[in-house]
Amino acid sequence: MAVTTEKSTQVTNMEAAPPVKLAAGELHGRIRIARFTFTQGAAAGDANSTADLVKLPPGKNITLLKNLSRATCSALGAARVLDIGHTGYTNIDGTVVAAAADVLLDGGDVSAAATLAMGAGTNALTANDAFVFDNKTGVTLQAKVLGGTIPAGATLNGYFTYIED
């Protein structure tokens, strides 16, 4: 083996001649917060009930930072789990992206009151903290309760941190 000196894709692009412009999620983007407060209505919802939490803005390279995003909840009851993902949307190029109900959080234990970090669980994308959306009309981030009902008056609160510019 030998000592090596290598560069990230971003540094390589910046030093190219001519330079390759980096996306806002890679350099000089602005961090934004999308907060949510949700209270289940007067009636409990059956298993697989959903709650639309936030709608991220339309645009290219809307970059969600999973490690800086959180959700808290009241106790939902024994054997309840929470998935967080997105509904379907259309990319900038017109291709349709299918809904992915558990791509941000898969199977978060919400039997007792909890604070949940995104990127956990079997199906959640954990390889990269940044989740990039290129979308025409905005992307709805949604929670789904599994394993039982969501009780009347149950709460979900939190925020998603993302980069845009």
Side-chain angles (χ1 to χ4, degrees):
M1 293 217 281
V3 173
T4 64
T5 302
E6 300 184 24
K7 299 177 182 182
S8 69
T9 300
Q10 290 75 15
V11 170
T12 300
N13 286 342
M14 291 172 69
E15 292 178 349
V20 176
K21 184 175 175 163
L22 299 176
E26 297 175 305
L27 184 68
H28 299 304
R30 293 187 177 140
I31 292 181
R32 311 280 189 190
I33 303 291
R35 289 187 57 238
F36 60 91
T37 55
F38 171 84
T39 302
Q40 178 67 19
D46 289 338
N48 293 312
S49 292
T50 61
D52 290 351
L53 303 176
V54 302
K55 187 167 185 178
L56 297 178
K60 189 164 178 62
N61 295 313
I62 304 298
T63 305
L64 179 72
L65 301 174
K66 292 182 302 207
N67 288 337
L68 296 178
S69 301
R70 299 281 182 274
T72 62
C73 68
S74 58
L76 301 187
R80 285 2 178 250
V81 295
L82 189 71
D83 288 351
I84 298 179
H86 62 78
T87 59
Y89 63 94
T90 303
N91 267 339
I92 296 281
D93 66 7
T95 59
V96 174
V97 177
D102 56 6
V103 73
L104 300 176
L105 174 69
D106 182 26
D109 182 358
V110 292
S111 56
T115 298
L116 306 162
M118 300 302 114
T122 304
N123 293 324
L125 294 178
T126 57
N128 188 344
D129 177 48
F131 192 100
V132 179
F133 296 98
D134 292 326
N135 72 94
K136 281 187 173 183
T137 58
V139 177
T140 300
L141 302 184
Q142 185 178 73
K144 181 186 265 189
V145 177
L146 303 163
T149 61
I150 180 170
T155 60
L156 296 169
N157 300 294
Y159 54 90
F160 293 100
T161 305
Y162 65 98
I163 301 170
E164 74 164 338
D165 214 22

